[in-house]
Amino acid sequence: MRKLLAATVLAASLVPGPASAEERVFELHLKRHHRPGAPVIAVVQNVSDTGQRIGPTWTITHAKSGEVVAQNHWTRRERRLAPGETAVWEWDQREGSYSSEPSPPGEDEERVRPGGYVLTADEEDPRLTRRFQIGRFFTLGFEGRDDTFVVFSNERRAIRAMRAEARAEDKTLIVSGIVRGRAPYNREWSYSMGPGSIVLGEVFVEVCDASPRYVERRRKSWLGERWCPWSSYVVKTGR
């Protein structure tokens, strides 16, 4: 009886169990910020030691509505990745795109609007999902200071207002936004303005006025708060 039990335990130990939830088979790489019309490049790499299959369909949805705006369907041959091999989807921001092929020359399809989007490369693995933004970069200046500050907005109203201010000779609007953590496009500073929080106005309450260096020194107390530097103005579109 003991021999039979020992043999059963040994056999069970030799049967491969399910992969650990912490085991990484794929890695997903995707930039977080994109200009309108610029390619959105998603890369999944097989980081395991054996051949693996990626999901048959990658999907891009609008972050707020959940509406599907684009999908990429992989063939059976394209789905199998050898160790170290990658699968790359270069999406040109066409709304209703259902392949990885670029638009034919002269074909004028509507691009998606600025906003937040979600890429899902595998619905069963939450680690293969990324949120990203489509919007515009702007460079701010501050009266009486040499400092500049880069903001990224994904709201159409704020984008229109900042583009107009960048062209205007007489700049009258203050740029305001919620203070968030560090952003890769604004390396000089350890904080940023939330892309969906930016608004412009001629007057803001004094309590949210501060120079960029004052906010830098007291960053922890400003995180999540609205910052409206009265001296701010839009220098240019871009960074």
Side-chain angles (χ1 to χ4, degrees), residues 140-149 210 212 227 229 231-233 235:
L140 306 185
F142 303 88
E143 295 176 5
R145 297 177 180 274
D146 294 331
D147 295 324
T148 59
F149 192 91
W227 176 41
S231 62
S232 65
Y233 60 94
V235 176

Side-chain angles (χ1 to χ4, degrees), residues 58-231:
W58 293 7
T59 303
I60 294 175
T61 56
H62 195 281
K64 289 184 178 179
S65 67
E67 175 188 2
V68 175
V69 297
Q71 286 184 329
N72 186 41
H73 304 281
W74 301 97
T75 66
R76 289 182 61 86
R77 181 180 59 81
E78 293 172 327
R79 287 183 60 196
R80 185 168 182 81
L81 300 181
E85 191 176 7
T86 60
V88 181
W89 180 20
E90 184 171 329
W91 178 51
D92 59 5
Q93 297 188 20
R94 283 182 298 152
E95 187 169 3
S97 172
Y98 290 94
S99 74
S100 59
E101 296 297 322
S103 302
E107 184 175 335
D108 185 20
E109 291 196 28
E110 183 178 358
R111 270 22 181 208
V112 295
R113 297 174 178 177
Y117 294 87
V118 179
L119 167 76
T120 302
D122 190 333
E123 293 183 351
E124 298 181 357
D125 189 346
R127 293 173 296 187
L128 297 184
T129 297
R130 293 288 186 278
R131 181 167 180 151
F132 63 97
Q133 310 283 338
I134 294 175
R136 290 276 185 188
F137 292 103
F138 295 89
T139 299
L140 306 185
F142 303 88
E143 295 176 5
R145 297 177 180 274
D146 294 331
D147 295 324
T148 59
F149 192 91
V150 177
V151 298
F152 180 85
S153 178
N154 60 14
E155 296 289 341
R156 285 176 292 166
R157 180 178 298 180
I159 290 173
R160 285 197 298 267
M162 284 193 283
R163 290 179 72 175
E165 281 290 293
R167 294 191 296 264
E169 292 185 8
D170 183 18
K171 302 179 188 295
T172 61
L173 298 182
I174 298 167
V175 182
S176 164
I178 302 298
V179 176
R180 302 298 187 198
R182 184 186 297 274
Y185 54 80
N186 207 19
R187 297 187 182 278
E188 183 180 352
W189 308 96
S190 65
Y191 64 98
S192 60
M193 282 189 184
S197 72
I198 296 174
V199 295
L200 283 76
E202 294 185 355
V203 180
F204 285 91
V205 294
E206 187 175 2
V207 69
C208 64
D209 176 32
S211 71
R213 295 203 176 274
Y214 182 90
V215 176
E216 179 70 33
R217 291 193 299 268
R218 296 164 175 81
R219 184 181 66 88
K220 289 184 178 180
S221 63
W222 277 90
L223 285 174
E225 301 294 331
R226 179 161 292 279
W227 176 41
C228 57
W230 287 6
S231 62

Side-chain angles (χ1 to χ4, degrees), residues 25 49-50 52-53 103 126 140 198 201 237:
V25 174
D49 296 328
T50 60
Q52 303 287 342
R53 286 191 177 275
S103 302
L140 306 185
I198 296 174
T237 299

